[in-house]
């Protein structure tokens, strides 16, 4: 019962997040995000998942969860490294914006929820959130970030990151089935 | 007495010639076998976009497979299901060579949905 409630809740949150991310973009013909803003959203989205993994590495005892969280930490750190290198090369300073602020605010709430879970409920809550979060980020990269990016190299990097996000999602779904 | 000695010598020569013939024959069949067996080859499996490319590779026993990580993130190459060999983590642009002794399934233990196969023909 509890699980159903959590799932429904994360489903609702996912739809809300996507609507929030996509509506302003769809409402305007001109790009809503500049490249420095796209870069900031990309970096923040990766940092958020590292933040979730940090909590999992502290709270979980499950080997599948721990290995997944370690991969999330390493992969998202690698992507941030690539994004920072590219930003430097292009002379772009990532710029805070409404989308990245909203992502951070939502993540703070989710992290608080995850930290408050008992050890027994944590694994399921963490992996459910990973599935929902990766779905939301994949949609945002495909439908918002890539279309709004002007610079070809930044666009290429975002396209290169997609297969990693999709693999993370499949991996999370596999772990989710076992929990 | 002399005839007996002669016979022994003759037998010796026949045996000796026989031996030469035998050795000659067997070494020539050995040469043929070596000619038929191709020299060990080096194959390449590229890791890119979260995939082993090619995911299925046919090799001969004794060949080497070089795994090159051309992806954004670290990967490994680990025998499945026993983990009897592993490359350990390969960072971006690192590579690892495997000498093939038998067919094997493998996966990336960091991204468990990434899988590949080596088939010894
Ligand atoms: Cu991998």
């Amino acid at each position: 019962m509890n699980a159903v409630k959590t799932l429904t809740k994360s489903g609702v949150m996912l739809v809300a997040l996507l609507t929030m991310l996509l509506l302003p973009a769809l409402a305007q013909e001109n790009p809503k995000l500049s490249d420095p803003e796209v870069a900031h959203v990309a970096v923040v989205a990766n940092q958020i998942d590292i933040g979730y993994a940090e909590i999992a590495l502290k709270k979980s005892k499950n080997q599948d969860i721990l290995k997944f969280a370690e991969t999330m930490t390493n992969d998202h750190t690698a992507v941030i490294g690539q994004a920072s290198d590219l930003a430097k090369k292009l002379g772009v300073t990532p710029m805070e914006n409404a989308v990245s602020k909203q992502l951070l605010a939502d993540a703070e709430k989710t992290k608080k929820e995850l930290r408050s879970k008992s050890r027994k409920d944590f694994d399921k809550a963490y992996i459910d959130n990973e599935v929902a979060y990766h779905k939301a980020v994949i949609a945002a990269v495909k439908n918002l970030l890539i279309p709004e990016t002007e610079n070809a190299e930044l666009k290429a990097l975002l396209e290169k990151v997609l297969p990693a996000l999709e693999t993370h999602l499949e991996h999370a779904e596999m772990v989710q089935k076992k929990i | 007495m002399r005839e007996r000695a002669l016979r022994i010598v003759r037998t010796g020569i026949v045996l000796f010639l026989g031996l030469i013939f035998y050795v000659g024959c067997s070494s020539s069949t050995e040469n043929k076998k070596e000619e038929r067996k191709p020299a060990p080859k080096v194959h390449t499996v590229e890791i890119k976009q979260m995939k082993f490319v090619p995911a299925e590779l046919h090799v001969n026993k004794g060949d080497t497979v070089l795994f090159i990580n051309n992806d954004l993130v670290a990967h490994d190459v680990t025998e499945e299901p026993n983990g009897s060999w592993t490359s350990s983590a390969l960072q971006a642009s690192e590579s690892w060579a495997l000498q093939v002794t038998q067919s094997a399934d493998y996966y990336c233990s960091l991204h468990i949905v990434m899988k590949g196969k080596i088939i010894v023909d």
Side-chain angles (χ1 to χ4, degrees):
Chain A
M1 199 55 202
N2 220 344
V4 174
K5 223 191 273 170
T6 320
L7 264 182
T8 319
K9 210 169 126 206
S10 65
V12 169
M13 273 173 62
L14 172 65
V15 172
L17 177 69
L18 282 178
T19 313
M20 249 161 15
L21 285 175
L22 297 178
L23 271 190
L26 295 174
Q28 272 183 310
E29 270 179 44
N30 293 331
K32 173 96 166 78
L33 295 176
S34 65
D35 283 4
E37 288 174 330
V38 167
H40 197 259
V41 172
V43 169
V44 161
N46 283 286
Q47 278 168 347
I48 287 171
D49 206 45
I50 295 172
Y52 296 151
E54 229 169 79
I55 301 173
L57 290 170
K58 276 191 201 130
K59 284 196 78 156
S60 183
K61 294 269 181 252
N62 179 297
Q63 279 308 309
D64 294 326
I65 295 277
L66 292 173
K67 284 208 84 178
F68 177 82
E70 229 170 80
T71 295
M72 291 311 104
T73 308
N74 293 334
D75 286 6
H76 289 292
T77 303
V79 173
I80 291 174
Q82 297 267 347
S84 313
D85 287 353
L86 179 60
K88 240 177 254 157
K89 184 187 150 197
L90 298 175
V92 166
T93 309
M95 195 192 282
E96 199 181 44
N97 57 85
V99 177
S100 57
K101 272 187 197 164
Q102 188 62 52
L103 280 172
L104 278 172
D106 291 344
E108 277 315 309
K109 272 185 229 153
T110 306
K111 284 202 279 188
K112 207 176 269 177
E113 268 180 55
L114 287 175
R115 284 199 201 94
S116 73
K117 292 283 174 198
S118 67
R119 185 151 282 159
K120 186 175 139 280
D121 295 335
F122 175 80
D123 290 346
K124 187 174 165 34
Y126 169 72
I127 206 67
D128 285 352
N129 182 59
E130 283 302 294
V131 168
Y133 185 70
H134 277 88
K135 277 184 186 164
V137 171
I138 289 166
V141 170
K142 269 189 194 163
N143 305 326
L144 177 71
L145 299 187
I146 290 175
E148 299 233 334
T149 303
E150 301 279 318
N151 181 276
E153 281 182 87
L154 182 55
K155 202 185 271 258
L157 178 61
L158 291 168
E159 275 160 0
K160 256 175 109 178
V161 170
L162 268 180
L165 296 172
E166 277 156 3
T167 305
H168 291 171
L169 173 60
E170 278 178 60
H171 188 165
E173 284 171 337
M174 265 178 85
V175 176
Q176 189 182 41
K177 271 185 209 141
K178 283 172 77 178
I179 299 287
Chain B
M1 197 61 190
R2 197 187 268 176
E3 238 178 79
R4 198 173 168 217
L6 225 110
R7 214 179 297 149
I8 290 172
V9 170
R10 230 185 278 147
T11 319
I13 289 171
V14 167
L15 277 177
F16 182 61
L17 286 177
L19 197 72
I20 288 179
F21 185 65
Y22 175 73
V23 168
C25 266
S26 68
S27 77
S28 88
T29 50
E30 249 172 46
N31 279 343
K32 262 182 217 152
K33 254 187 226 157
E34 264 164 35
E35 274 164 26
R36 247 179 267 135
K37 202 172 102 191
K41 261 204 258 174
V42 177
H43 308 261
T44 301
V45 172
E46 210 186 340
I47 309 173
K48 58 178 181 185
Q49 304 275 297
M50 310 302 282
K51 282 191 174 82
F52 295 106
V53 183
E56 201 178 299
L57 182 68
H58 288 260
V59 304
N60 288 306
K61 192 172 168 176
D63 284 0
T64 297
V65 181
L66 186 67
F67 292 89
I68 304 173
N69 183 5
N70 285 331
D71 216 343
L72 288 178
V73 301
H75 295 286
D76 68 29
V77 190
T78 302
E79 190 271 340
E80 197 176 28
N82 303 315
S84 57
W85 47 258
T86 180
S87 64
S88 299
L90 300 173
Q91 301 302 320
S93 81
E94 283 183 347
S95 60
W96 179 71
L98 170 75
Q99 181 145 36
V100 180
T101 53
Q102 59 186 41
S103 296
D105 290 346
Y106 62 87
Y107 76 124
C108 170
S109 78
L110 307 174
H111 309 98
I112 52 177
V113 296
M114 292 175 61
K115 286 169 188 294
K117 226 185 242 292
I118 296 168
I119 297 148
V120 174
D121 288 324

